[in-house]
């Protein structure tokens, strides 16, 4: 299943992403994680040193390779240069399994604490004042459009903060989106904004409370979030130790916080998988981007890249 973590800046979504990935890995599940947050802290949260995190390759710097590999021999895509971040797969495209060996995985992903991790990349000095961060996450969006995960496989993404996630179609690429919410009105406000935007696209939104200190915090979250609140985590010595560079096994996490992660996993495992909807939304956002800027930038009608008879998923992969 594909899972995203979103929320107000400072709510703890990177921490929750790392805890959830570690929980899945500790349960023996394969996990592919992508850090698409502008702050790029997921590698360290998983247990990498600052030096190891800084040395990781980035998806953004390998965008030409990603495009060329995913294009395959799809006759609707004339060249890698004609691909944009929303280009959907079609017959002849290469669909990618999250744990296979291929040139993209070899170039862009590394093992961090048992998690196959890719990062979109930090802002550089050349980006300042001339680029938005969503130019960095385009490679991740393109990859997710072509990524076919199967039963028992998990793809987990740490997203940009707040409603910034809606600046691209990336927010529709997931089976479940967890919004991390503190027991504050500001954090609840981000939830309401996200829920309003997500509703029109059928995004399955679940809320994980964080930094809960007492029953009053729980009651506040229940009153504000209703049935969208699926679990909550309280203060953690385990997390504080990790933030000081003293990583511990996930089994050392407090029992009530482990129970919350188990509930989050159950929420993911019970989510229905709809490949037709997944691809339909990819096509919708591709056509929007084509009309808005893609056709002008590439000098071609990018609507022609859409294969109307194609639906991704394991059956398509088996027939490739």
């Amino acid at each position: 299943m594909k899972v995203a973590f979103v929320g107000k800046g400072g709510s703890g979504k990177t921490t929750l992403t790392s805890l959830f990935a570690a929980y899945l890995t500790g349960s023996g599940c394969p996990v592919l994680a992508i850090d698409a947050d502008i702050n790029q802290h997921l590698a360290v949260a998983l247990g990498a040193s600052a030096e190891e995190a800084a040395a990781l390759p980035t998806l953004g710097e390998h965008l030409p390779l990603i495009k060329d590999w995913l294009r395959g021999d799809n006759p609707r895509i004339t060249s890698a240069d004609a691909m944009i971040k929303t280009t959907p797969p079609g017959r002849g495209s290469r669909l990618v399994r999250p744990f296979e060996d291929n040139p993209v995985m070899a170039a862009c992903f590394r093992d961090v604490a048992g998690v196959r991790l890719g990062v979109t990349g930090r802002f550089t000095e050349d980006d300042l004042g001339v680029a938005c961060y969503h130019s960095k996450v385009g490679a991740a969006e393109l990859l997710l459009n072509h990524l076919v995960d199967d039963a028992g496989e998990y793809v987990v993404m740490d997203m940009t903060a707040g409603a910034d996630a809606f600046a691209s179609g990336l927010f529709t690429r997931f089976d479940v989106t967890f919004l991390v919410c503190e027991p504050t009105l500001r954090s609840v406000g981000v939830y309401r904004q996200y829920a309003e935007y997500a509703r029109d696209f059928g995004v399955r939104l679940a809320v994980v409370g964080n930094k809960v200190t007492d029953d009053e915090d729980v009651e506040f979250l229940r009153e504000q979030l209703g049935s969208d609140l699926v679990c909550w985590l309280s203060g953690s010595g385990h997390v504080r130790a990790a933030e000081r560079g003293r990583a511990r096994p996930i089994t050392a996490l407090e029992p009530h916080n482990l129970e919350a992660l188990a509930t989050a996993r159950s929420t993911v495992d019970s989510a229905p998988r709809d490949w037709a909807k997944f691809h339909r939304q990819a096509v919708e956002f591709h056509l929007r981007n084509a009309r808005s800027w893609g056709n002008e930038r590439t000098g071609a009608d990018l609507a022609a890249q859409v294969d109307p008879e194609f639906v991704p998923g394991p059956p398509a992969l088996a027939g490739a």
Side-chain angles (χ1 to χ4, degrees), residues 76 88 283 286-287 290-291 295 300-308:
R76 294 177 175 272
V283 169
H286 177 63
L287 296 177
R291 291 190 297 266
N295 291 344
D301 180 7
L302 298 184
Q305 293 180 344
V306 176
D307 185 343

Side-chain angles (χ1 to χ4, degrees), residues 26 63 79 81 86-87 93 99 135 139 166 204 213 260 266 287 294:
L63 184 57
S79 68
D81 289 339
T86 54
T87 296
S93 298
F99 304 101
S135 64
F166 290 96
R204 183 170 185 182
T213 59
S266 297
L287 296 177

